[in-house]
Amino acid sequence: MSVLRVIEPGFQTTVQDLGRFGYAHFGVSASGAADALAMRAGNLLVGNAENAPALELTLAGGAFEFESAAVIAVTGSDFGAGLPLWRAVELPPGSVVRFGQSLGGARCYLCIRGGLDVPKVMGSSSTHLLTGVGGRALRSGDTLPIASSAIRRWKGNTIAPPAHTGPLRVTEGPQASQFSGELYAASYEVTEASNRMGLRLRGPAIPSPSGHMVTEGVALGAIQIPPDGQPIVLFVEHQTTGGYPKPANVISADLWRVGQMRPRDRVQFERVTMEGALGLLREQEEWLYSLV
């Protein structure tokens, strides 16, 4: 079996798939790729199932050696690896791929034909950093077996990545009626305190409704307003319950954009209808499956 060797791990490199579902009642959120769209596209380019485990690199990459010949695709943000982005390429045996600092965006994905042969925990190979479920961030000297689970031929054409530079689009949250639209009137900055659990934003404080709220389940992309009025966008390792009111929820079609946001990025929000959100998701899925 071929092996991928970690020479330098980078800032925070983890193995991710699309996450583990059905364990929220145990307090374990799904985790999975922060930019699931980029990871799914990379896997389809190399001929894998879209849920095949891949490497997620955050902010600053590392160096990885391929013991044998391999077909890979690098998707997501540009980390200066010197390889074509959004395209499957062949590597000869002994190749070393080096990633540098992100040139824009927060994460990129290294998808390898065949996927990574790593154990599944609760039905998923994803790394949940908050709880340690599924392992840890990679370290120098780690070796990862490369599986042989490709399901179709790989394609050598370069694809145009998805792009949307406007406001993050949201639907109304369960407590929307308790707010007066302040969320949509201002621009917010992503703070250094952001991580895979959530993006903490800084900007004009939003008055939080008076009174106590019963703790309830929370969803991926929910926007919470804590007592200080600074919004928090819950992300892939979010807590499964919360007691802060939620005026809005990022739509599924824009969650990949949350995964690409870095500290000091600016973000605004735009309200769309549920029908509009479903239409945007349908368009995105049609683009994705055009790669097959």
Side-chain angles (χ1 to χ4, degrees):
M1 180 177 288
S2 181
V3 167
L4 175 70
R5 191 177 310 278
V6 181
I7 300 174
E8 300 170 9
F11 170 68
Q12 186 184 87
T13 301
T14 57
V15 175
Q16 298 293 344
D17 55 20
L18 294 181
R20 54 183 56 83
F21 299 91
Y23 296 94
H25 57 300
F26 294 122
V28 180
S29 48
S31 189
D35 180 351
L37 188 63
M39 194 201 77
R40 294 169 69 193
N43 273 325
L44 294 180
L45 286 171
V46 299
N48 291 342
E50 60 187 273
N51 193 35
L55 293 188
E56 177 181 279
L57 289 71
T58 302
L59 295 179
F64 308 90
E65 181 181 10
F66 290 86
E67 179 182 80
S68 305
V71 174
I72 69 168
V74 179
T75 56
S77 297
D78 186 356
F79 277 44
L83 295 170
L85 291 175
W86 300 89
R87 178 181 176 181
V89 296
E90 291 184 273
L91 299 178
S95 294
V96 175
V97 178
R98 295 184 181 276
F99 297 86
Q101 299 283 334
S102 170
L103 302 178
R107 295 175 174 89
C108 77
Y109 293 85
L110 175 57
C111 300
I112 305 164
R113 180 170 174 81
L116 296 171
D117 189 10
V118 296
K120 290 188 175 183
V121 179
M122 300 180 188
S124 170
S125 299
S126 65
T127 304
H128 196 289
L129 291 172
L130 181 66
T131 63
V133 172
R136 53 167 172 77
L138 297 183
R139 300 170 183 165
S140 297
D142 284 347
T143 56
L144 298 170
I146 298 174
S148 55
S149 56
I151 59 174
R152 62 177 67 88
R153 293 181 179 179
W154 62 278
K155 298 183 178 182
N157 58 305
T158 302
I159 63 170
H164 186 80
T165 56
L168 276 181
R169 294 163 293 191
V170 302
T171 52
E172 289 191 343
Q175 286 80 42
S177 63
Q178 301 178 31
F179 294 86
S180 301
E182 298 92 343
L183 181 68
Y184 310 105
S187 172
Y188 292 88
E189 182 181 71
V190 179
T191 73
E192 301 282 352
S194 301
N195 53 31
R196 283 173 52 89
M197 186 176 178
L199 271 65
R200 291 183 175 271
L201 307 181
R202 179 168 49 235
I206 297 174
S208 190
S210 60
H212 296 284
M213 196 184 105
V214 176
T215 297
E216 63 183 13
V218 295
L220 173 62
I223 301 174
Q224 289 187 328
I225 307 299
D228 67 1
Q230 300 299 316
I232 302 171
V233 182
L234 301 186
F235 205 41
V236 288
E237 292 189 12
H238 64 86
Q239 73 275 21
T240 56
T241 63
Y244 296 145
K246 298 170 287 297
N249 208 104
V250 177
I251 67 171
S252 296
D254 276 1
L255 287 172
W256 70 271
R257 295 179 57 207
V258 179
Q260 291 297 349
M261 288 184 175
R262 301 181 295 179
R264 294 181 296 281
D265 282 351
R266 304 294 301 186
V267 58
Q268 290 179 289
F269 298 98
E270 177 185 352
R271 185 165 32 199
V272 299
T273 64
M274 186 64 70
E275 292 75 15
L278 290 171
L280 292 166
L281 181 60
R282 187 180 303 111
E283 291 175 8
Q284 189 176 93
E285 293 297 301
E286 289 172 353
W287 169 82
L288 184 71
Y289 286 107
S290 71
L291 309 180
V292 177

